Amino acid sequence: MSKISLSRYLVEQQRDKGHIPADLRLLLEVVARACKSISHAVNKGALGGVLGSADSENVQGEVQKKLDIIANEVLLEANEWGGHLAAMASEEMDSIYLVPNRYPQGEYLLMFDPLDGSSNIDVNVSIGTIFSVLKKPEGNQGVTEQDFLQPGKQQVAAGYCVYGPQTTLVLTVGDGVAMFTLDREQGSFVLTQENLQVPADTKEFAINMSNMRHWDEPVRRYIDECLQGKEGPRGKDFNMRWIASMVADVHRILTRGGVFMYPWDKREPHKPGKLRLMYEANPMSWLIEQAGGAATNGKQRILDLQPSQLHERVSVVLGSKNEVERLTSYHAQV
C-alpha cells in the first residue's frame, strides 16, 4: 500500500473530483508547509528560546506568547508571495494584512489562529493552528475588511494542525474530512485517515466546569443531567474532558466523538461568547459538520451566522449530533 502524500491527495481532489482549483491546492500546500515550520519551533520548546510571554498583548487584550508571534510571522511570510492570496487575517493582528504590491494577487482570503491554546505552550500540552479559506468577492478591486465578513458556509477550505505526540493536519475542502500525519523522516504529511465520522451519540462532554455558576439555565440543565449519570434522566454515565486547547478538544471529538461547549456566561454578558467566529468557530464547525456532527451557538447553526466584524466572538456547541441538538433544543425552550 503506497503512502498518499498531502500533495497527491490535493492533486486528486483537483484532477479527478474537480473539488478544488489549482490555486487553492497550492495555497493549502503552502499552509501545510508553514504548519511544518511551526511544528519544528513548538517541538524545540525551551531549546529554541521560544517559550514564555512576549510582554505584549493582541487585539483582544490577551497576553501574547513568543510562539504566538513566531507562528503568526511564519504564516504571513509563507503565504504572502505565492500569488494565491489577496489578503490575510489573524487572531494576533488588529486588522487585515494585504498581500504586498510587489507580489501577484490571488483570489483567496486566508484567516488563521496561528497558535490555538497557547496558554498550554509552556506546559507541553497539545496546541495547534486553525485556518479558514474564503473566496474574495467578485469584482472588488482592493480588499477591505468587509470582504472577509462572509458566513462560514461560504468557506472553500478549512482545517487545523495539532502539535501533539504526532503532528496531525486535518482538512476539508467540502468533500468530507481527511487526516494527515507528519512523517518526520520524509518531511511530508501522509494521509492516515479519510472520511472521518463523528458518532451521533456520545458519553463524553468537554466544558470548563469552573464557570458553572456563570452559565445560562439551558447549559446548567444539560450538564446537571449528564452529571446525574445512569440514575438521572439520561440513563447513562458521562465522562468529562477539558484540555483548554480547542484544537486538542475538537481533535478528540473528530477521532472518537463527544461534545465541546464554550457557552455564553454572565461574567461578560455583552460578549456573545469567548471563541472567535471567523478563525476558530467557523473552520471547526465546518470540519465537524463535514464529519457528520453538528455545531451551533446554542440557538442557530454557526455556519449560517453573518459576521459583523473581524474579531467577532461567539458561543460554541459542537460535536456529536444528538447531543448538540439536545442542548440547542434546551435553549429553544427558555
Side-chain angles (χ1 to χ4, degrees):
M1 166 78 182
S2 69
K3 288 182 174 179
I4 295 177
S5 67
L6 173 67
S7 298
R8 179 176 160 188
Y9 173 85
L10 290 171
V11 166
E12 287 172 358
Q13 286 285 339
Q14 178 197 334
R15 194 173 53 204
D16 306 342
K17 300 187 175 176
H19 281 302
I20 55 171
D23 267 5
L24 182 55
R25 168 175 70 83
L26 292 166
L27 167 57
L28 292 171
E29 287 185 7
V30 174
V31 170
R33 260 204 311 278
C35 288
K36 219 160 35 176
S37 301
I38 296 169
S39 172
H40 288 310
V42 168
N43 287 144
K44 279 204 180 98
L47 300 175
V50 294
L51 298 188
S53 293
D55 301 323
S56 58
E57 292 185 349
N58 66 13
V59 60
Q60 283 90 22
E62 297 161 338
V63 173
Q64 290 175 305
K65 300 281 187 178
K66 288 178 192 166
L67 265 176
D68 278 325
I69 297 167
I70 293 167
N72 197 62
E73 287 300 313
V74 166
L75 282 156
L76 290 179
E77 286 170 14
N79 285 286
E80 68 178 2
W81 53 268
H84 324 303
L85 282 175
M88 295 179 257
S90 159
E91 176 170 336
E92 300 301 329
M93 300 187 298
D94 301 9
S95 50
I96 64 172
Y97 178 91
L98 298 172
V99 168
N101 287 333
R102 60 184 181 276
Y103 300 122
Q105 308 282 311
E107 55 184 316
Y108 292 103
L109 305 172
L110 175 66
M111 285 169 293
F112 47 82
D113 178 351
L115 217 50
D116 180 74
S118 56
S119 60
N120 287 318
I121 292 170
D122 297 350
V123 293
N124 204 8
V125 168
S126 293
I127 49 183
T129 298
I130 310 174
F131 61 90
S132 164
V133 185
L134 292 165
K135 198 88 183 281
K136 188 179 85 153
E138 295 283 318
N140 292 16
Q141 280 311 301
V143 183
T144 64
E145 196 167 299
Q146 195 60 39
D147 296 328
F148 281 84
L149 303 181
Q150 304 176 35
K153 61 188 173 193
Q154 286 173 235
Q155 292 172 105
V156 292
Y160 63 81
C161 196
V162 60
Y163 313 117
Q166 309 101 37
T167 290
T168 308
L169 178 71
V170 177
L171 177 71
T172 184
V173 290
D175 179 37
V177 179
M179 195 181 280
F180 304 82
T181 304
L182 182 60
D183 180 336
R184 293 202 181 278
E185 282 78 47
Q186 304 295 320
S188 59
F189 281 104
V190 176
L191 182 66
T192 42
Q193 214 179 331
E194 251 186 308
N195 299 320
L196 270 77
Q197 287 297 308
V198 175
D201 291 299
T202 184
K203 293 181 175 181
E204 283 190 342
F205 66 88
I207 195 166
N208 186 345
M209 289 292 284
S210 65
N211 295 330
M212 192 174 205
R213 66 193 183 283
H214 305 296
W215 294 339
D216 223 357
E217 192 43 51
V219 180
R220 244 186 210 179
R221 173 186 168 189
Y222 175 83
I223 297 296
D224 278 345
E225 289 177 357
C226 291
L227 295 179
Q228 288 170 47
K230 270 203 180 80
E231 297 73 37
R234 300 303 309 276
K236 61 181 180 181
D237 290 332
F238 280 79
N239 266 335
M240 191 186 109
R241 296 281 180 266
W242 182 251
I243 306 174
S245 168
M246 188 192 191
V247 168
D249 275 312
V250 170
H251 192 67
R252 184 189 61 255
I253 289 168
L254 274 171
T255 308
R256 68 178 193 208
V259 61
F260 170 89
M261 291 158 279
Y262 211 134
W264 172 91
D265 72 41
K266 296 188 181 84
R267 286 171 304 170
E268 297 184 285
H270 57 286
K271 285 186 183 164
K274 180 91 164 69
L275 295 173
R276 261 61 66 161
L277 175 61
M278 303 295 287
Y279 23 70
E280 290 176 321
N282 274 341
M284 291 309 204
S285 297
W286 197 31
L287 285 164
I288 290 285
E289 281 196 11
Q290 282 287 315
T296 75
N297 65 355
K299 297 183 173 69
Q300 62 196 109
R301 180 183 179 223
I302 283 176
L303 295 182
D304 288 336
L305 299 174
Q306 173 60 51
S308 58
Q309 54 185 11
L310 203 54
H311 298 291
E312 187 162 329
R313 295 173 188 259
V314 67
S315 295
V316 175
V317 180
L318 59 74
S320 295
K321 200 170 186 169
N322 293 342
E323 296 303 311
V324 174
E325 285 176 355
R326 176 183 285 266
L327 181 49
T328 305
S329 75
Y330 288 2
H331 279 87
Q333 293 165 26
V334 174

